[in-house]
Amino acid sequence: MRVAYGVIIIGGGHAGVEAAWACANLLSEPGSVALVTQDPSKIGVMSCNPAIGGLAKGQLVREIDAMGGLMGLAADATGIQFKVLNQSKGAAVHGPRAQCDKHAYARAVQRLVATRPEIEIIAGSVERLAVERGRVRGVVVLGRDGEAITLSARAVVLTTGTFMRGLMHCGEQRTAGGRFGEAPAVGISAALCDLGFELGRLKTGTPPRLRRGTISWDTLEPARGDNVPVPFSDLSGIDEAGAFGEGDDLPASWTRFPVMPQVECRQTRTTAAAHALIRENLHRAPMYSGQIESVGPRYCPSIEDKVVRFAERDSHGVFLEPESLDDDWVYCNGISTSLPPDVQDAIVRAMPGCERAEILRYGYAVEYDMVRPHQIDATGMTKRVAGLFLAGQINGTSGYEEAAAQGLVAGLNAARFAQGQTPVVFGRDQAYLGVLMDDLVTKTPVEPYRMFTSRAEHRLHLRSDNAPDRLTPVAMDLGLLNGSAMGRARAARYERRRALMSAVQAVVDRAQADGVPLAKLTRTDRYEAADLKRDLAHCGGIPADADAGLVDAVVRTVHADRRYAPYLAREQAELKRRVALEHAPLPATIEYASLGYLRAEAMEALTRFRPSTFGQAGRLEGMTPADLTLLSVLIEKWRQTNRTRGTMAGDEGSNR
């Protein structure tokens, strides 16, 4: 084991592996990236629902894939049910989702990471950060043998998940740990406090798992996947596997998709009797007894929260989702809980089809420390310590996808920081990646943050189908696709997509179906992507040798582009009017309290978050349009004063 690295990644969860993968793509030297984790066998583990994607989350996974990440490939290789959510609505809110085999997913991630000689995995727990003169220099790792080792690096990415002072609750029982059977990370919270970071405390939870053989499975309504599954990755199902290599390192989803046998889930529901029991036992629920003081996710509430908040309802839907093809475990999606085991038994057995169900693992809640994200910028780097990046639940988010997206952004920028390059910030009009990071740095989460399409004002453009068109050219320019044969294959795939897209667009502009121009048909309500594909085939608009999967993907995008064209044109015009203000920099050295005239709430928000641009300032909690107008006047006055004094040097730099 070496002791000097380009970048050190702390944590092997979804944020950590994407950060390490991005760094490996940019730092080509073998062993240049250290991935430190308490247990290497847990890298890529799906600790809650073994599902990837969903509403808005699916867009994030597609963007991660377009940028050369690994989550989409791992999901495609291990998905046991694929479904695009919201298909009855427009393409802008379609949400690809995959129920994955949890054991196979972790194996796939570990196998992918093992293909990268740039990544060295180190078993241990980080106890302290080495910081000198406001810049990170490395970490102190406590190995499994108890020996402390100092590792040096030019940048560090911290992705601790729910492990920082993690405490699990099941009824009155409390157990130290970040997830079932795994110890918490204790030292890092104190280390961050010592460096002056403001920490918060959040809560998340998980439902009970049932033994499938004890469920009356066939009596329950099926919840089926799509007949024709749609992959997350543009590399899945292609015939160019030889570009990556042969043998066990080859992602199975390259040569066929789907890879694994597909399964059906089942639907059941809670009952009025179970709700009455929950109300009778609220005093034993940690969230209501005072045992837990932190805030849980509003959009993924526990069943006890649902019963209290929606008292008028006597039933809530529950999806029973197989966790793996290799075991008998079933995930109860919809009844996350930390109630005592005896109450959980009664809740489960009151559900239709589960009268004799055996609980293999009881649900529990976990409290954990996070770093309030007004202390990072949109690259993931902390404002207090240069070179220290945070990603995942440490920033107050929930979900595998949000964590992985932050990991990609932080890993990309950590590698660039280590190489002395300028940071990369994604715009809200460019990607859900940009929406996520901008939301985190302009609004302190009071509950675990979850991505929704409603958070993206440019969602007509930020669709799952066009992620490679938006972001793969960016990844190519940044060098993210140069570090491996897989990346080069992705770049080649994009070039073929671009050529086919251009050809199809040209045919749509000139061809007709039954005397009606295709360009006109694509804007009508009942003309779907399948209709466009049929008519393109009839008029010779699809090359005979084109890959079927690529054709389907291109046709979906062309259809959506044409359908949304009038709205996108209007949106682009509005965007041009906003862009000047959005990217106009704010002075890094200004003291907002010295400006006067600003409302106290606006001044407090500006001082707390230290926004980099006027666009970010306008989205801060407590800022009104009138505040922003006044701020622009005061900033210009401040600049004129400083020009007169000759002290303007450096005020347009990055906001650190």
Side-chain angles (χ1 to χ4, degrees):
M1 182 182 71
R2 57 193 284 177
V3 295
Y5 300 88
V7 179
I8 297 172
I9 314 295
I10 312 303
H14 304 281
V17 294
E18 291 292 352
W21 191 261
C23 288
N25 286 336
L26 294 175
L27 303 175
S28 56
E29 181 186 350
S32 55
V33 182
L35 177 58
V36 182
T37 177
Q38 293 186 122
D39 185 352
S41 72
K42 301 296 185 182
I43 289 174
V45 161
M46 307 179 94
S47 53
C48 196
N49 188 2
I52 296 293
L55 302 178
K57 293 170 176 282
Q59 279 88 330
L60 282 174
V61 181
R62 289 280 293 149
E63 291 182 353
I64 291 166
D65 185 74
M67 292 291 293
L70 59 77
M71 177 171 267
L73 272 174
D76 287 348
T78 61
I80 55 179
Q81 187 189 85
F82 292 85
K83 187 176 183 64
V84 177
L85 307 182
N86 261 1
Q87 290 191 71
S88 63
K89 300 181 180 179
V93 293
H94 287 178
R97 181 186 188 272
Q99 188 75 18
C100 295
D101 183 309
K102 67 177 181 182
H103 303 306
Y105 184 90
R107 289 195 299 267
V109 170
Q110 292 170 24
R111 191 160 52 242
L112 285 166
V113 170
T115 67
R116 305 306 299 266
E118 301 89 351
I119 302 174
E120 181 178 331
I121 297 172
I122 299 171
S125 176
V126 172
E127 296 299 306
R128 186 167 57 83
L129 300 169
V131 177
E132 295 177 6
R133 294 187 293 277
R135 181 168 182 152
V136 74
R137 300 296 181 184
V139 300
V140 177
V141 176
L142 191 64
R144 288 180 167 179
D145 58 2
E147 181 183 0
I149 304 171
T150 299
L151 307 178
S152 65
R154 295 185 290 275
V156 173
V157 183
L158 199 55
T159 69
T160 54
T162 60
F163 282 81
M164 287 206 309
R165 290 199 312 124
L167 183 63
M168 297 179 290
H169 301 260
C170 185
E172 295 85 356
Q173 182 180 359
R174 289 183 284 188
T175 307
R179 61 182 170 222
F180 185 86
E182 296 184 58
V186 178
I188 196 65
S189 288
L192 290 168
C193 285
D194 289 344
L195 290 170
F197 286 99
E198 179 187 349
L199 303 188
R201 192 97 169 138
L202 290 177
K203 169 258 178 189
T204 189
T206 192
R209 271 68 160 183
L210 310 183
R211 188 184 298 279
R212 175 171 168 164
T214 63
I215 301 170
S216 300
W217 195 258
D218 293 335
T219 68
L220 297 173
E221 181 183 354
R224 299 184 175 92
D226 292 338
N227 291 328
V228 181
V230 176
F232 282 107
S233 177
D234 285 341
L235 292 183
S236 292
I238 68 174
D239 56 4
E240 302 147 6
F244 184 64
E246 300 296 339
D248 292 339
D249 293 340
L250 176 66
S253 58
W254 276 39
T255 53
R256 67 186 192 279
F257 175 83
V259 177
M260 304 190 77
Q262 300 297 286
V263 304
E264 291 181 351
C265 300
R266 288 292 187 269
Q267 298 180 59
T268 184
R269 56 183 174 78
T270 59
T271 62
H275 289 200
L277 182 68
I278 291 169
R279 282 189 286 267
E280 292 170 6
N281 284 275
L282 281 177
H283 63 285
R284 302 175 66 197
M287 286 292 294
Y288 290 88
S289 68
Q291 186 172 308
I292 293 178
E293 296 181 359
S294 50
V295 179
R298 181 177 15 147
Y299 300 105
C300 187
S302 64
I303 186 60
E304 48 266 42
D305 274 345
K306 290 180 182 178
V307 168
V308 171
R309 287 165 50 189
F310 307 107
E312 72 283 0
R313 296 187 58 176
D314 59 9
S315 178
H316 291 281
V318 177
F319 286 91
L320 301 177
E321 301 169 333
E323 292 198 334
S324 174
L325 300 180
D326 294 337
D327 62 32
D328 204 23
W329 288 48
V330 172
Y331 184 92
C332 290
N333 193 344
I335 55 169
S336 173
T337 183
S338 57
L339 282 160
D342 61 299
V343 181
Q344 293 191 39
D345 283 329
I347 294 169
V348 166
R349 289 169 186 162
M351 298 190 305
C354 299
E355 293 84 358
R356 294 182 299 278
E358 175 189 350
I359 295 181
L360 292 168
R361 178 180 297 163
Y362 290 100
Y364 62 91
V366 57
E367 288 185 286
Y368 56 95
D369 286 347
M370 49 85 74
V371 176
R372 299 196 183 280
H374 66 271
Q375 299 166 102
I376 64 171
D377 62 25
T379 68
M381 189 161 82
T382 65
K383 298 174 182 178
R384 184 173 292 275
V385 178
L388 176 61
F389 294 78
L390 309 181
Q393 285 175 289
I394 192 173
N395 287 332
T397 60
S398 68
Y400 306 147
E401 303 82 1
E402 291 88 346
Q406 292 172 74
L408 185 149
V409 172
L412 161 66
N413 281 294
R416 291 180 65 84
F417 183 90
Q419 295 174 313
Q421 298 173 331
T422 56
V424 175
V425 174
F426 295 92
R428 295 181 68 92
D429 60 321
Q430 187 180 17
Y432 273 83
L433 296 170
V435 175
L436 168 64
M437 297 306 299
D438 188 71
D439 279 354
L440 290 179
V441 302
T442 57
K443 300 175 179 67
T444 296
V446 295
E447 63 190 11
Y449 176 98
R450 179 178 179 178
M451 179 56 71
F452 291 101
T453 53
S454 60
R455 297 189 190 275
E457 61 271 35
H458 303 290
R459 58 187 169 273
L460 294 186
H461 176 56
L462 306 183
R463 307 189 307 269
S464 62
D465 65 87
N466 68 2
D469 307 309
R470 292 184 282 115
L471 294 176
T472 298
V474 176
M476 294 167 69
D477 289 343
L478 293 173
L480 280 168
L481 305 187
N482 299 335
S484 69
M486 185 185 292
R488 293 188 290 274
R490 192 183 299 276
R493 181 72 165 177
Y494 167 73
E495 293 297 347
R496 278 187 282 281
R497 175 185 169 92
R498 186 172 67 168
L500 182 59
M501 182 88 68
S502 178
V504 169
Q505 293 279 21
V507 173
V508 171
D509 283 333
R510 69 171 185 267
Q512 296 184 350
D514 297 327
V516 181
L518 291 185
K520 182 177 181 180
L521 284 171
T522 56
R523 293 195 295 272
T524 59
D525 288 341
R526 291 192 174 89
Y527 192 80
E528 302 296 338
D531 302 314
L532 176 59
K533 181 182 177 182
R534 178 201 61 216
D535 291 338
L536 284 168
H538 286 168
C539 63
I542 299 175
D545 60 347
D547 175 85
L550 185 59
V551 169
D552 288 342
V554 165
V555 169
R556 282 194 297 270
T557 296
V558 170
H559 178 265
D561 282 345
R562 295 297 177 126
R563 176 68 59 87
Y564 285 130
Y567 308 101
L568 287 169
R570 193 180 311 154
E571 183 178 280
Q572 287 301 312
E574 177 63 24
L575 182 60
K576 288 179 180 179
R577 287 191 289 270
R578 295 181 192 171
V579 72
L581 187 63
E582 173 65 33
H583 299 292
L586 285 167
T589 57
I590 192 169
E591 295 295 335
Y592 291 102
S594 69
L595 295 179
Y597 303 106
L598 285 169
R599 293 184 310 112
E601 187 177 6
M603 189 180 301
E604 180 182 351
L606 290 165
T607 301
R608 177 180 177 82
F609 287 94
R610 303 294 304 177
S612 301
T613 66
F614 276 93
Q616 284 187 354
R619 291 187 292 277
L620 294 178
E621 295 168 322
M623 288 289 291
T624 67
D627 293 329
L628 198 63
T629 300
L630 177 57
L631 179 65
S632 65
V633 173
L634 295 174
I635 290 295
E636 182 57 32
K637 181 179 179 181
W638 181 89
R639 286 182 168 134
Q640 290 176 356
T641 300
N642 281 276
R643 285 193 194 100
T644 303
R645 295 175 181 172
T647 59
M648 284 290 291
D651 90 68
E652 301 293 344
S654 66
N655 190 37
R656 295 196 182 93

